[in-house]
């Protein structure tokens, strides 16, 4: 009988409360990435490429004059594509489209509108989007992680107190379920450039999620 009693004790199921903890930190972005494009068309591919290169060089020089370091200006894409019209079901060659895209890192977010306006005034004809980012997000994520663990502990205590259970204070398992917060995107229309383009960086959400198990 003693053996049976010990066996029952050793194999008794573990009583566990599993909770999810969420932590959120809102941070003002400290830089932005902008994609600026120059698109040209022409019957002759070399002519379209040369026109595109001239305009893009002018755009780059204008950005350098805004004190943007050259290492923060990077080619993102370069495409040469034939263009066709369709007339009465027939494909008619129209010419070539040459597109050159730059990714520009703007470290002073207050100058984003000025950067966009300057690029457009110097020949850029498309700004595909803005990504607001944080140079080093890890300290903010650690802060969010601490909040997530505190949130999980509070939830577990609430459950245990409500059900009148004795909760062991130390968790038996913690699983980090990292989830990056959204990066804010803003589209910029190519319209009348007699005004300064207003850009609001807003805030970036950095959040952490943990799954925690407590024994009771």
């Amino acid at each position: 009988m003693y053996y049976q009693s010990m066996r029952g004790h050793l194999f008794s199921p573990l009583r566990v409360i599993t909770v999810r903890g969420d932590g959120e930190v809102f941070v003002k972005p400290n830089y932005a990435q902008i994609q600026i494009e120059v698109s040209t068309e022409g019957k002759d591919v070399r002519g379209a490429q040369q026109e595109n290169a001239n305009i893009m060089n002018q755009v780059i020089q204008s950005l350098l004059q805004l004190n943007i370091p050259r290492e923060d200006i990077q080619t993102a894409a370069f495409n040469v594509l034939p263009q066709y019209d369709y007339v009465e079901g027939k494909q008619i060659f129209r010419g070539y489209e040459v597109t050159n895209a730059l990714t520009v890192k703007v470290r002073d977010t207050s100058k984003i509108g000025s950067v966009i306006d300057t690029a457009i005034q110097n020949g850029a004809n498309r700004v595909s989007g803005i990504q607001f980012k944080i140079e080093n997000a890890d300290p903010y994520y650690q802060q969010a992680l601490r909040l997530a663990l505190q949130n999980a502990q509070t939830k577990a205590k609430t459950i245990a107190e409500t059900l009148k259970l004795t909760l062991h204070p130390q968790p038996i398992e913690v699983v980090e379920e990292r989830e990056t917060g959204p990066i804010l995107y803003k589209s910029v229309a190519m319209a009348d450039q007699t005004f300064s383009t207003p850009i609001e960086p807003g805030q970036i959400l950095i959040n952490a999620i943990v799954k925690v198990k407590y024994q009771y």
Side-chain angles (χ1 to χ4, degrees):
M1 182 174 291
Y2 175 79
Y3 173 78
Q4 290 179 343
S5 174
M6 285 297 294
R7 184 181 180 186
H9 174 72
L10 290 172
F11 290 91
S12 60
L14 195 65
R15 299 189 302 174
V16 171
I17 294 174
T18 303
V19 291
R20 167 180 158 141
D22 296 274
E24 295 183 347
V25 175
F26 288 90
V27 185
K28 184 177 180 180
N30 53 23
Y31 78 95
Q33 282 188 343
I34 309 172
Q35 183 157 304
I36 296 171
E37 300 179 22
V38 172
S39 179
T40 54
E41 290 189 10
K43 288 281 188 182
D44 175 64
V45 65
R46 292 189 64 182
Q49 284 181 306
Q50 187 60 58
E51 181 187 4
N52 191 288
N54 292 339
I55 296 173
M56 183 54 84
N57 284 332
Q58 185 173 320
V59 170
I60 292 171
Q61 289 303 315
S62 70
L63 296 176
L64 292 173
Q65 289 175 9
L66 291 177
N67 295 321
I68 294 177
R70 188 174 289 274
E71 58 267 25
D72 288 344
I73 303 172
Q74 183 178 23
T75 299
F78 182 84
N79 295 303
V80 179
L81 297 173
Q83 302 296 302
Y84 298 93
D85 290 325
Y86 291 87
V87 180
E88 296 180 354
K90 294 182 179 180
Q91 181 176 282
I92 300 175
F93 176 71
R94 187 176 77 235
Y96 293 93
E97 180 184 38
V98 179
T99 302
N100 193 347
L102 293 178
T103 298
V104 181
K105 185 175 184 178
V106 183
R107 298 177 187 273
D108 184 349
T109 56
S110 68
K111 293 183 178 179
I112 297 172
S114 176
V115 170
I116 292 171
D117 294 341
T118 298
I120 295 168
Q121 289 163 8
N122 283 274
N125 46 21
R126 187 178 303 160
V127 177
S128 59
I130 301 173
Q131 299 180 24
F132 292 101
K133 297 186 177 183
I134 301 169
E135 193 75 55
N136 180 16
D138 190 64
Y140 303 107
Y141 177 74
Q142 299 302 327
Q143 184 180 347
L145 189 59
R146 283 193 291 270
L147 292 173
L149 289 167
Q150 292 169 9
N151 180 246
Q153 188 176 45
T154 300
K155 286 181 178 179
K157 284 182 178 179
T158 299
I159 293 170
E161 289 171 1
T162 303
L163 298 178
K164 295 181 172 53
L165 304 174
T166 301
L167 188 73
H168 292 223
Q170 295 299 324
I172 61 172
E173 182 179 285
V174 178
V175 178
E176 177 189 14
E177 298 180 352
R178 183 157 188 170
E179 181 177 308
T180 36
I183 296 175
L184 306 184
Y185 290 87
K186 296 194 183 285
S187 298
V188 182
M190 299 297 97
D192 180 10
Q193 292 301 314
T194 58
F195 57 89
S196 178
T197 302
I199 301 294
E200 294 296 332
Q203 291 185 315
I204 294 176
L205 168 65
I206 297 178
N207 87 321
I209 300 171
V210 291
K211 185 170 68 174
V212 186
K213 293 182 179 181
Y214 291 90
Q215 188 176 357
Y216 67 90

